[in-house]
Amino acid sequence: MSKNKFLRDKKRNYLRWLLLGFAIFYPMLTSIYIFLPPLIGVVGLFIIYNMERNKTYAFIGILYLLNLDFNATLPILLSLVIVILVYILIYPSAKLIINCKKCLAIFLIMFINLLYYASLFLYDFIFSLNILVANSTLIFYIIIDLMIGLLL
């Protein structure tokens, strides 16, 4: 019995280190290679689902979003603020309305992406910057985000 618990804890520890490595190195790769999606919606969903259950995994997701903001020269804390707003304002009522887990995940990923990119466009407009270019790459990012969300 204790051997099974030891193996389970060891697997969880490996998973934590793997997720931490992903949170540190993947945002660097997305800033180098343009066709790697930033996965803001999936990580936002990961944070929302783990906010109540596992604080360590939620912290790794927050670390990922902060690292992505720094590496991609995006507005600092914007992605985290969007995820927290969705968690506080949208998630409780959406959880009651949408019974299907996959449907809820797709809805939250889509909502996080749309809200995030809309706020980036607003940020560009207000400060007359050119952070985000609306082309087919942006649609590709959203589609990949949704496909990964379906696999979860």
Side-chain angles (χ1 to χ4, degrees):
M1 194 70 158
S2 70
K3 186 177 180 180
N4 286 337
K5 185 177 183 217
F6 174 74
L7 290 175
R8 193 175 13 173
D9 290 342
K10 195 172 182 179
K11 286 180 185 179
R12 284 185 187 155
N13 198 17
Y14 285 138
L15 181 63
R16 283 187 193 126
W17 282 105
L18 183 69
L19 287 173
L20 187 62
F22 179 79
I24 292 171
F25 293 112
Y26 187 77
M28 292 179 206
L29 293 174
T30 60
S31 63
I32 296 171
Y33 302 110
I34 194 72
F35 287 107
L36 287 176
L39 302 177
I40 294 168
V42 171
V43 174
L45 182 71
F46 183 76
I47 292 170
I48 288 171
Y49 281 171
N50 286 304
M51 194 74 80
E52 297 161 355
R53 286 186 265 160
N54 195 339
K55 302 283 188 209
T56 306
Y57 290 157
F59 177 74
I60 290 172
I62 290 169
L63 179 70
Y64 173 86
L65 289 179
L66 291 175
N67 195 7
L68 181 70
D69 288 345
F70 283 121
N71 283 318
T73 62
L74 296 170
I76 305 299
L77 297 175
L78 180 65
S79 56
L80 189 60
V81 167
I82 295 296
V83 169
I84 290 172
L85 283 176
V86 168
Y87 176 70
I88 292 171
L89 300 176
I90 305 299
Y91 179 64
S93 57
K95 189 168 61 170
L96 292 174
I97 295 171
I98 303 172
N99 292 328
C100 171
K101 280 190 168 190
K102 296 268 184 201
C103 302
L104 180 64
I106 294 300
F107 172 75
L108 289 174
I109 289 172
M110 195 67 179
F111 199 80
I112 289 169
N113 278 325
L114 291 177
L115 196 60
Y116 180 72
Y117 291 125
S119 62
L120 269 182
F121 281 125
L122 184 66
Y123 186 84
D124 281 350
F125 179 73
I126 290 172
F127 295 111
S128 299
L129 299 173
N130 195 10
I131 293 175
L132 190 63
V133 178
N135 57 11
S136 59
T137 309
L138 187 63
I139 296 169
F140 170 74
Y141 290 164
I142 294 172
I143 290 171
I144 294 297
D145 228 3
L146 288 172
M147 288 173 68
I148 292 173
L150 278 174
L151 293 176
L152 294 177

